[in-house]
Amino acid sequence: MPERNPETHVIDFRAAEQLLAARDPKGAVKLLDSVIAAHPENTAARLLRARAFFAAAQLRPAELEFELVLEREPDNAFAHFALARTFQRAGRPEQATRHFRLAAALDPNPEYLTAARFDSRD
């Protein structure tokens, strides 16, 4: 196996983004596993892997990755929103609502406000 270096990890990350966009989340996870093994502190890679887990309907791994991202970046509105979607899909509406509302409080994105059941006219 060829030696892995930082450039290879960047290439793997970019390829994983493309795989996720092409609806191959399992392929994206596979590439990101090596990136995260070499750079466990890389929050962007973890967020991308969480999205890939979600797209592959692997809800528990997605939840764990989104939570790890939020431990590092508690003000990441997208991570709160994505975690909320994960909880929603897993049939956990109370936890979903909490994170939808946190996302909307951090970023008044119309999609976040709608999901949080906040109306911009309130």
Side-chain angles (χ1 to χ4, degrees), residues 49-114:
R49 186 165 71 170
R51 291 177 47 219
F53 280 137
F54 180 84
Q58 296 179 13
L59 301 182
R60 184 64 180 146
E63 176 187 338
L64 294 172
E65 285 290 344
F66 285 129
E67 287 176 340
L68 196 135
V69 168
L70 288 169
E71 283 177 19
R72 297 174 181 180
E73 297 179 3
D75 60 346
N76 186 321
F78 174 78
H80 280 289
F81 181 75
L83 179 58
R85 285 274 185 240
T86 305
F87 285 138
Q88 185 180 50
R89 201 165 164 190
R92 295 159 66 189
E94 299 82 21
Q95 288 146 306
T97 299
R98 177 176 180 270
H99 285 279
F100 280 138
R101 291 188 173 179
L102 285 166
L106 291 164
D107 180 354
N109 174 319
E111 185 178 11
Y112 299 171
L113 291 169
T114 299

Side-chain angles (χ1 to χ4, degrees), residues 20-54:
L20 187 56
R23 301 193 191 314
D24 181 4
K26 290 180 182 178
V29 167
K30 189 173 181 180
L31 282 176
L32 290 165
D33 285 345
S34 66
V35 174
I36 291 169
H39 304 281
E41 76 291 347
N42 187 318
T43 304
R46 289 194 175 274
L47 187 57
L48 186 59
R49 186 165 71 170
R51 291 177 47 219
F53 280 137
F54 180 84

